[in-house]
Amino acid sequence: VAPSRGLLGDFANVDASDSADLVGRLDVMHSLEFFKRYKAETFRLMGAGPGRHLADVGCGTGDDAAALAHIVGADGSVVGFDSSDAMLDEARRRHGDRAGHLCFTRALAEALGVADSVFDGLRTDRVYVHLPDPAAAVREAVRVVKPGGRIVVSEPDMASFWCTASDADAGREFAQGIAESLDNAAVARDLFHLLRDGGLVDVQLHVWPLVLTDPAPAERVINFQAIGETLIAQGRLDEQQVRGWLGDMRSRVENDRFLGGLNFFIVVGEKPA
Ligand SMILES: C[S@@+](CC[C@H](N)C(=O)[O-])C[C@H]1O[C@@H](n2cnc3c(N)ncnc32)[C@H](O)[C@@H]1O
């Protein structure tokens, strides 16, 4: 079990980390207009509609599974899978648990524990960045989706993080530190070929740029302070450089001189009939 570091990598093992803090970070993300829009796009791409039977793998607090349950209506069903008991408890507390319509199940993305070809569509949002073997999760997704069903995987391309910074060297180290704060930060760039190699057809890639004029949500989610402490511990920056980078960001906000962002990759493919 990897120790909790207060970094994004903690999502790989929520139950060994501060789960309430991680739930709070998910809520910050869900509150952003950008997240609402790209999530709605993943629902559309997976073919969500009345009467469909859908899966949300790595469902977290279950908010997306609940939104999907609303879309599929009384004749459809949604199963939210997650590896974390704490996340599943939160999902059930927020949305209930009703087998046959909306339910939450403990399972790994790599071994969902259901029969072959049971879902009309499956989505996974911001989970593969935490997986050591994403190809295994793709194989499992392909196994459980019906022929003709669609699989949608969306991931932030963590290595694409950028922001305005007066100290370019410190900025580069921070960007690198952010990419290293997750196990599989560059997986977004592999998704297209992972889905094609998994046997899916009509695979499409959509890149969505997130642009922020206020770093507060990113600061809460990524934990720049913890990134800075890691860079100091690794001898890559000294305390003054870290303080300088954080202070520069704050003064840019005060002077309306901050911009930053990150690309999100959404990949969709269809299981051949
Ligand atoms: C960043 S959160 C995203 C949650 C949700 N998809 C969302 O959009 O809010 C990652 C989720 O994946 C779960 N997770 C991590 N590794 C997993 C695995 N191997 N199998 C299933 N779920 C996993 C975590 O417990 C966490 O709930």
Side-chain angles (χ1 to χ4, degrees):
V1 173
S4 168
R5 296 183 297 159
L7 298 174
L8 272 177
D10 288 353
F11 278 107
N13 195 340
V14 172
D15 293 347
S17 308
D18 181 348
S19 60
D21 174 59
L22 295 178
V23 165
R25 295 196 212 187
L26 292 185
D27 286 343
V28 168
M29 292 186 246
H30 281 239
S31 72
L32 297 178
E33 219 32 62
F34 173 86
F35 278 69
K36 291 186 182 133
R37 281 193 291 112
Y38 93 72
K39 282 172 180 289
E41 176 67 357
T42 65
F43 298 168
R44 190 187 71 76
L45 289 170
M46 82 192 291
R52 294 290 166 95
H53 301 286
L54 305 175
D56 188 25
V57 175
C59 63
T61 57
D63 295 356
D64 294 341
L68 288 171
H70 185 71
I71 294 171
V72 301
D75 295 333
S77 68
V78 180
V79 183
F81 296 92
D82 205 282
S83 58
S84 156
D85 285 324
M87 283 296 173
L88 292 167
D89 286 348
E90 182 63 18
R92 292 186 187 113
R93 193 186 65 75
R94 291 183 184 197
H95 307 294
D97 196 338
R98 198 149 47 92
H101 183 58
L102 170 63
C103 68
F104 297 101
T105 303
R106 189 178 202 278
L108 293 176
E110 303 88 335
L112 294 170
V114 298
D116 293 355
S117 305
V118 287
F119 294 114
D120 296 310
L122 177 151
R123 74 186 284 277
T124 304
D125 186 11
R126 307 194 326 283
V127 177
Y128 283 24
V129 278
H130 306 294
L131 302 183
D133 183 6
V138 172
R139 276 196 298 279
E140 184 64 348
V142 173
R143 183 185 74 73
V144 303
V145 166
K146 295 175 191 172
R150 294 213 208 125
I151 294 170
V152 180
V153 184
S154 38
E155 295 295 335
D157 180 30
M158 294 305 297
S160 70
F161 175 87
W162 64 274
C163 76
T164 46
S166 303
D167 180 344
D169 292 339
R172 255 193 307 277
E173 288 298 338
F174 261 91
Q176 185 66 26
I178 288 164
E180 290 167 8
S181 69
L182 296 128
D183 289 342
N184 209 346
V187 72
R189 298 176 190 192
D190 297 331
L191 290 179
F192 180 85
H193 294 108
L194 277 171
L195 263 59
R196 231 175 42 179
D197 293 350
L200 298 181
V201 294
D202 197 16
V203 177
Q204 296 163 29
L205 164 68
H206 306 262
V207 180
W208 281 53
L210 165 66
V211 177
L212 293 171
T213 52
D214 177 354
E219 191 156 14
R220 171 76 177 95
V221 169
I222 294 172
N223 196 347
F224 293 142
Q225 185 66 45
I227 299 280
E229 284 162 15
T230 305
L231 293 170
I232 293 169
Q234 292 171 343
R236 290 159 62 179
L237 292 179
D238 60 33
E239 274 181 41
Q240 202 181 341
Q241 288 170 300
V242 167
R243 260 203 312 277
W245 189 82
L246 293 170
D248 176 49
M249 191 166 56
R250 281 168 201 138
S251 77
R252 281 173 175 276
V253 176
E254 278 159 26
N255 297 307
D256 196 17
R257 282 288 174 277
F258 176 85
L259 277 179
L262 184 75
N263 291 331
F264 277 63
F265 284 34
I266 303 174
V267 181
V268 55
E270 189 173 311
K271 180 167 168 176

